[in-house]
mmCIF file of all heavy atoms in Angstrom:
data_model
loop_
_atom_site.group_PDB
_atom_site.id
_atom_site.type_symbol
_atom_site.label_atom_id
_atom_site.label_comp_id
_atom_site.label_asym_id
_atom_site.label_seq_id
_atom_site.Cartn_x
_atom_site.Cartn_y
_atom_site.Cartn_z
ATOM 1 N N HIS V 315 37.332 129.709 -104.707
ATOM 2 C CA HIS V 315 36.476 130.848 -104.317
ATOM 3 C C HIS V 315 36.587 131.978 -105.347
ATOM 4 O O HIS V 315 35.597 132.619 -105.685
ATOM 5 C CB HIS V 315 36.844 131.347 -102.917
ATOM 6 C CG HIS V 315 36.636 130.291 -101.869
ATOM 7 N ND1 HIS V 315 37.367 130.224 -100.716
ATOM 8 C CD2 HIS V 315 35.776 129.230 -101.831
ATOM 9 C CE1 HIS V 315 36.961 129.182 -99.998
ATOM 10 N NE2 HIS V 315 36.009 128.566 -100.653
ATOM 11 N N TYR V 467 30.669 132.159 -88.117
ATOM 12 C CA TYR V 467 29.956 132.149 -89.404
ATOM 13 C C TYR V 467 30.292 133.407 -90.195
ATOM 14 O O TYR V 467 30.429 134.490 -89.610
ATOM 15 C CB TYR V 467 28.443 132.012 -89.185
ATOM 16 C CG TYR V 467 28.137 130.681 -88.537
ATOM 17 C CD1 TYR V 467 28.142 130.548 -87.144
ATOM 18 C CD2 TYR V 467 27.940 129.556 -89.309
ATOM 19 C CE1 TYR V 467 27.947 129.322 -86.543
ATOM 20 C CE2 TYR V 467 27.743 128.307 -88.716
ATOM 21 C CZ TYR V 467 27.758 128.199 -87.339
ATOM 22 O OH TYR V 467 27.582 126.976 -86.757
ATOM 23 N N PHE V 468 30.440 133.244 -91.487
ATOM 24 C CA PHE V 468 30.726 134.358 -92.395
ATOM 25 C C PHE V 468 29.590 134.407 -93.391
ATOM 26 O O PHE V 468 29.288 133.391 -94.039
ATOM 27 C CB PHE V 468 32.045 134.120 -93.144
ATOM 28 C CG PHE V 468 33.253 134.199 -92.261
ATOM 29 C CD1 PHE V 468 33.568 133.165 -91.393
ATOM 30 C CD2 PHE V 468 34.080 135.307 -92.291
ATOM 31 C CE1 PHE V 468 34.683 133.228 -90.573
ATOM 32 C CE2 PHE V 468 35.199 135.389 -91.476
ATOM 33 C CZ PHE V 468 35.497 134.346 -90.612
ATOM 34 N N VAL V 469 28.960 135.565 -93.511
ATOM 35 C CA VAL V 469 27.734 135.639 -94.279
ATOM 36 C C VAL V 469 27.828 136.770 -95.307
ATOM 37 O O VAL V 469 28.290 137.871 -94.988
ATOM 38 C CB VAL V 469 26.554 135.883 -93.297
ATOM 39 C CG1 VAL V 469 25.289 136.227 -94.038
ATOM 40 C CG2 VAL V 469 26.330 134.648 -92.427
ATOM 41 N N GLY V 470 27.394 136.482 -96.519
ATOM 42 C CA GLY V 470 27.358 137.525 -97.551
ATOM 43 C C GLY V 470 26.434 137.095 -98.683
ATOM 44 O O GLY V 470 26.164 135.905 -98.845
ATOM 45 N N ARG V 471 25.957 138.057 -99.429
ATOM 46 C CA ARG V 471 25.083 137.751 -100.578
ATOM 47 C C ARG V 471 25.786 138.077 -101.882
ATOM 48 O O ARG V 471 26.656 138.954 -101.915
ATOM 49 C CB ARG V 471 23.834 138.620 -100.538
ATOM 50 C CG ARG V 471 22.726 138.052 -99.740
ATOM 51 C CD ARG V 471 21.590 139.055 -99.648
ATOM 52 N NE ARG V 471 20.798 138.686 -98.506
ATOM 53 C CZ ARG V 471 19.666 137.984 -98.571
ATOM 54 N NH1 ARG V 471 19.151 137.643 -99.738
ATOM 55 N NH2 ARG V 471 19.014 137.670 -97.478
ATOM 56 N N ASP V 473 28.009 138.716 -104.881
ATOM 57 C CA ASP V 473 29.465 138.684 -105.033
ATOM 58 C C ASP V 473 30.193 138.554 -103.688
ATOM 59 O O ASP V 473 31.378 138.249 -103.646
ATOM 60 C CB ASP V 473 29.964 139.983 -105.699
ATOM 61 C CG ASP V 473 29.462 140.109 -107.121
ATOM 62 O OD1 ASP V 473 28.882 139.138 -107.644
ATOM 63 O OD2 ASP V 473 29.647 141.197 -107.709
ATOM 64 N N ASN V 474 29.469 138.859 -102.627
ATOM 65 C CA ASN V 474 30.102 138.779 -101.309
ATOM 66 C C ASN V 474 30.097 137.355 -100.743
ATOM 67 O O ASN V 474 30.814 137.063 -99.786
ATOM 68 C CB ASN V 474 29.383 139.720 -100.323
ATOM 69 C CG ASN V 474 29.290 141.114 -100.901
ATOM 70 O OD1 ASN V 474 30.313 141.750 -101.110
ATOM 71 N ND2 ASN V 474 28.086 141.560 -101.228
ATOM 72 N N TYR V 475 29.303 136.493 -101.362
ATOM 73 C CA TYR V 475 29.233 135.112 -100.869
ATOM 74 C C TYR V 475 30.559 134.364 -101.045
ATOM 75 O O TYR V 475 31.055 133.746 -100.072
ATOM 76 C CB TYR V 475 28.046 134.393 -101.547
ATOM 77 C CG TYR V 475 28.042 132.902 -101.377
ATOM 78 C CD1 TYR V 475 28.171 132.317 -100.116
ATOM 79 C CD2 TYR V 475 27.903 132.055 -102.479
ATOM 80 C CE1 TYR V 475 28.179 130.935 -99.968
ATOM 81 C CE2 TYR V 475 27.904 130.684 -102.337
ATOM 82 C CZ TYR V 475 28.056 130.121 -101.082
ATOM 83 O OH TYR V 475 28.070 128.766 -100.944
ATOM 84 N N PRO V 476 31.196 134.424 -102.235
ATOM 85 C CA PRO V 476 32.510 133.752 -102.327
ATOM 86 C C PRO V 476 33.517 134.305 -101.316
ATOM 87 O O PRO V 476 34.395 133.583 -100.838
ATOM 88 C CB PRO V 476 32.976 134.051 -103.764
ATOM 89 C CG PRO V 476 31.726 134.344 -104.529
ATOM 90 C CD PRO V 476 30.775 134.969 -103.552
ATOM 91 N N ILE V 477 33.355 135.579 -100.963
ATOM 92 C CA ILE V 477 34.284 136.162 -99.983
ATOM 93 C C ILE V 477 33.981 135.610 -98.582
ATOM 94 O O ILE V 477 34.886 135.391 -97.774
ATOM 95 C CB ILE V 477 34.179 137.715 -99.982
ATOM 96 C CG1 ILE V 477 34.358 138.257 -101.406
ATOM 97 C CG2 ILE V 477 35.192 138.351 -99.023
ATOM 98 C CD1 ILE V 477 35.654 137.894 -102.089
ATOM 99 N N ALA V 478 32.700 135.362 -98.314
ATOM 100 C CA ALA V 478 32.336 134.736 -97.032
ATOM 101 C C ALA V 478 32.973 133.343 -96.950
ATOM 102 O O ALA V 478 33.524 132.952 -95.910
ATOM 103 C CB ALA V 478 30.818 134.643 -96.905
ATOM 104 N N LEU V 479 32.918 132.608 -98.056
ATOM 105 C CA LEU V 479 33.549 131.275 -98.072
ATOM 106 C C LEU V 479 35.045 131.399 -97.812
ATOM 107 O O LEU V 479 35.639 130.623 -97.065
ATOM 108 C CB LEU V 479 33.333 130.601 -99.435
ATOM 109 C CG LEU V 479 31.900 130.218 -99.801
ATOM 110 C CD1 LEU V 479 31.848 129.682 -101.230
ATOM 111 C CD2 LEU V 479 31.358 129.170 -98.834
ATOM 112 N N GLU V 480 35.646 132.389 -98.440
ATOM 113 C CA GLU V 480 37.091 132.583 -98.298
ATOM 114 C C GLU V 480 37.451 132.976 -96.860
ATOM 115 O O GLU V 480 38.437 132.485 -96.298
ATOM 116 C CB GLU V 480 37.552 133.648 -99.310
ATOM 117 C CG GLU V 480 39.010 134.020 -99.232
ATOM 118 C CD GLU V 480 39.990 132.875 -99.443
ATOM 119 O OE1 GLU V 480 39.559 131.769 -99.823
ATOM 120 O OE2 GLU V 480 41.184 133.064 -99.178
ATOM 121 N N GLY V 481 36.640 133.853 -96.247
ATOM 122 C CA GLY V 481 36.900 134.264 -94.853
ATOM 123 C C GLY V 481 36.853 133.062 -93.922
ATOM 124 O O GLY V 481 37.696 132.921 -93.023
ATOM 125 N N ALA V 482 35.879 132.176 -94.155
ATOM 126 C CA ALA V 482 35.757 130.989 -93.302
ATOM 127 C C ALA V 482 36.961 130.060 -93.503
ATOM 128 O O ALA V 482 37.514 129.529 -92.538
ATOM 129 C CB ALA V 482 34.453 130.257 -93.626
ATOM 130 N N LEU V 483 37.377 129.894 -94.753
ATOM 131 C CA LEU V 483 38.538 129.028 -95.019
ATOM 132 C C LEU V 483 39.786 129.569 -94.322
ATOM 133 O O LEU V 483 40.563 128.825 -93.716
ATOM 134 C CB LEU V 483 38.777 128.904 -96.531
ATOM 135 C CG LEU V 483 39.982 128.050 -96.948
ATOM 136 C CD1 LEU V 483 39.818 126.601 -96.509
ATOM 137 C CD2 LEU V 483 40.202 128.104 -98.457
ATOM 138 N N GLU V 494 32.147 128.600 -91.035
ATOM 139 C CA GLU V 494 31.366 128.308 -92.243
ATOM 140 C C GLU V 494 31.073 129.591 -92.986
ATOM 141 O O GLU V 494 30.732 130.605 -92.362
ATOM 142 C CB GLU V 494 30.023 127.685 -91.864
ATOM 143 C CG GLU V 494 30.079 126.188 -91.698
ATOM 144 C CD GLU V 494 28.690 125.614 -91.497
ATOM 145 O OE1 GLU V 494 27.805 125.851 -92.351
ATOM 146 O OE2 GLU V 494 28.504 124.942 -90.477
ATOM 147 N N GLY V 495 31.198 129.537 -94.282
ATOM 148 C CA GLY V 495 30.791 130.656 -95.108
ATOM 149 C C GLY V 495 29.401 130.376 -95.642
ATOM 150 O O GLY V 495 29.128 129.253 -96.097
ATOM 151 N N MET V 496 28.521 131.351 -95.563
ATOM 152 C CA MET V 496 27.128 131.117 -95.958
ATOM 153 C C MET V 496 26.633 132.218 -96.888
ATOM 154 O O MET V 496 26.989 133.383 -96.706
ATOM 155 C CB MET V 496 26.217 131.188 -94.719
ATOM 156 C CG MET V 496 26.410 130.139 -93.681
ATOM 157 S SD MET V 496 25.878 128.532 -94.254
ATOM 158 C CE MET V 496 24.184 128.843 -94.729
ATOM 159 N N ALA V 497 25.778 131.821 -97.829
ATOM 160 C CA ALA V 497 25.026 132.838 -98.570
ATOM 161 C C ALA V 497 23.937 133.319 -97.607
ATOM 162 O O ALA V 497 23.212 132.486 -97.025
ATOM 163 C CB ALA V 497 24.421 132.216 -99.811
ATOM 164 N N LEU V 516 30.143 137.051 -88.883
ATOM 165 C CA LEU V 516 30.749 138.168 -89.600
ATOM 166 C C LEU V 516 29.909 138.456 -90.839
ATOM 167 O O LEU V 516 29.700 137.569 -91.673
ATOM 168 C CB LEU V 516 32.185 137.797 -89.972
ATOM 169 C CG LEU V 516 32.982 138.994 -90.436
ATOM 170 C CD1 LEU V 516 34.367 138.954 -89.864
ATOM 171 C CD2 LEU V 516 33.008 139.016 -91.934
ATOM 172 N N LEU V 518 29.199 140.440 -94.235
ATOM 173 C CA LEU V 518 29.752 141.279 -95.307
ATOM 174 C C LEU V 518 28.607 142.102 -95.866
ATOM 175 O O LEU V 518 27.687 141.558 -96.485
ATOM 176 C CB LEU V 518 30.365 140.382 -96.389
ATOM 177 C CG LEU V 518 31.606 139.616 -95.934
ATOM 178 C CD1 LEU V 518 31.975 138.545 -96.957
ATOM 179 C CD2 LEU V 518 32.774 140.562 -95.712
ATOM 180 N N GLU V 572 36.993 143.879 -99.190
ATOM 181 C CA GLU V 572 36.452 143.370 -97.922
ATOM 182 C C GLU V 572 37.099 142.059 -97.477
ATOM 183 O O GLU V 572 36.944 141.652 -96.323
ATOM 184 C CB GLU V 572 34.923 143.204 -98.017
ATOM 185 C CG GLU V 572 34.507 142.054 -98.896
ATOM 186 C CD GLU V 572 33.052 142.138 -99.359
ATOM 187 O OE1 GLU V 572 32.436 143.202 -99.204
ATOM 188 O OE2 GLU V 572 32.561 141.132 -99.886
ATOM 189 N N LEU V 576 39.118 140.078 -93.346
ATOM 190 C CA LEU V 576 38.909 138.661 -93.035
ATOM 191 C C LEU V 576 40.251 137.935 -92.909
ATOM 192 O O LEU V 576 40.444 137.077 -92.039
ATOM 193 C CB LEU V 576 38.049 137.997 -94.129
ATOM 194 C CG LEU V 576 36.535 138.157 -93.987
ATOM 195 C CD1 LEU V 576 36.102 139.584 -93.737
ATOM 196 C CD2 LEU V 576 35.814 137.577 -95.175
#
Side-chain angles (χ1 to χ4, degrees):
H315 298 151
Y467 296 88
F468 291 75
V469 169
R471 273 174 201 261
D473 295 351
N474 308 296
Y475 167 51
I477 307 302
L479 293 175
E480 177 59 9
L483 179 63
E494 273 187 55
M496 295 291 304
L516 193 138
L518 293 168
E572 71 198 13
L576 276 49

